[in-house]
Amino acid sequence: MREEIVKVSDKEFRLLYDSSQIKKRVEMLAGEISRDMAGSVPVFVCMLKGSFMFAADLLRHIDCPCEVSFIRYSSYRGTHSTGKVRAVMGLDTDVRGRNIVVVEDIVETGRTMYSLLAKLNDLRPASVSVAALVTKPDRLEKPVEVKYAGFKMKATDFIVGYGLDYNEQGRNLSDIYILNNQK
Ligand code: IMP
Ligand code: MG
C-alpha cells in the first residue's frame, strides 16, 4: 500500500495526486501533442532532472515519429527559487526548422523557461511549445505560455515526487506529494 504521508529530507509531505491520476493527465497531454504535431517530426527537449519521469511517460504515448533530447538547467535550492538560471548541459540536436516541444516538470516564476525559450528561439526552430506537468499561474513573472499544462497549483504549494525534488530527494516517488503544512 502506498504511503499517504512521506518524509523527504527534513519535511513531511502528504499525497496529492496518485499515479493513476497522473497517468490519466499525462496521457491526455500526449494525445493533444500528438494531434498538434501530426505530419511533423518534433524534437522533445526534456529538462533534467525534474522532468525525467514525466518525459518517460509522456513520450510513451506520443504516436507521431519524434526525436528526444535532454538538457539540464538549474535555478532552484530548497523550497524557494534562487532566481538565478544557469545552463548546465546543452542541446545536442539540430533544431533549425523543427517543431520543438519543451518538456518541463514545473513552470513557477517562468524564469527558467523564459531564459531557455530565448536560447532555443536563437536556433531558429519552426515552433517552440511547452509541456509542463505542473504550473503555478499566480507565481508567473515572465510571459511564458504553457500550451500543454498538466496540473495547476497555488502559488504557495510545494510538491515532491514523480521527478520533483525537495533538496534533491523524493524524485523517485511515483505519486505527487504536497508539503504537509499547506491547504
Ligand atoms: P521557475 O524558474 O521559477 O519557473 O522554476 C522552475 C523550477 O523550479 C522547476 O523546474 C522546478 O525544478 C523548481 N520548482 C518550482 N516549484 C517547485 C515545487 O513545488 N517542487 C519542486 N520543485 C519546484
Ligand atoms: Mg526543473
Side-chain angles (χ1 to χ4, degrees):
M1 257 279 282
R2 183 188 71 231
E3 295 282 327
E4 299 291 324
I5 300 279
V6 293
K7 191 158 185 208
V8 178
S9 187
D10 59 347
K11 291 195 194 305
E12 282 196 342
F13 292 80
R14 67 184 159 78
L15 187 63
L16 182 66
Y17 297 115
D18 70 18
S19 50
S20 69
Q21 291 170 295
I22 299 169
K23 186 170 188 284
K24 246 186 237 160
R25 198 69 200 112
V26 171
E27 287 178 14
M28 203 178 288
L29 294 182
E32 279 175 41
I33 297 170
S34 298
R35 277 192 296 281
D36 291 352
M37 295 294 153
S40 78
V41 182
V43 182
F44 287 86
V45 174
C46 309
M47 297 187 56
L48 295 173
K49 305 174 196 174
S51 78
F52 81 98
M53 275 201 198
F54 174 44
D57 288 343
L58 186 78
L59 268 292
R60 264 184 265 253
H61 295 281
I62 296 294
D63 57 17
C64 58
C66 63
E67 292 179 28
V68 185
S69 191
F70 295 89
I71 61 169
R72 188 166 165 207
Y73 254 67
S74 172
S75 71
Y76 222 75
R77 293 285 177 274
T79 56
H80 294 282
S81 183
T82 59
K84 292 196 189 92
V85 175
R86 52 193 177 100
V88 181
M89 189 173 111
L91 189 64
D92 64 351
T93 309
D94 185 5
V95 295
R96 195 183 177 105
R98 310 287 300 275
N99 290 324
I100 298 177
V101 181
V102 179
V103 181
E104 173 63 305
D105 53 359
I106 296 194
V107 174
E108 189 183 40
T109 63
R111 286 186 203 138
T112 313
M113 191 53 70
Y114 188 77
S115 152
L116 174 71
L117 293 178
K119 288 190 204 299
L120 289 177
N121 279 315
D122 286 346
L123 304 173
R124 311 263 213 97
S127 73
V128 186
S129 48
V130 178
L133 178 69
V134 175
T135 56
K136 296 182 184 174
D138 301 339
R139 288 273 288 148
L140 200 64
E141 292 171 12
K142 295 281 187 183
V144 168
E145 189 205 347
V146 180
K147 187 166 185 188
Y148 310 103
F151 300 102
K152 286 195 174 68
M153 311 276 299
K154 287 192 310 190
T156 50
D157 293 342
F158 187 83
I159 55 174
V160 292
Y162 197 66
L164 287 152
D165 74 302
Y166 165 59
N167 280 342
E168 287 302 326
Q169 294 181 30
R171 295 191 195 276
N172 56 309
L173 300 166
S174 45
D175 308 301
I176 294 175
Y177 293 80
I178 186 165
L179 195 60
N180 207 14
N181 60 10
Q182 295 175 350
K183 275 187 192 160

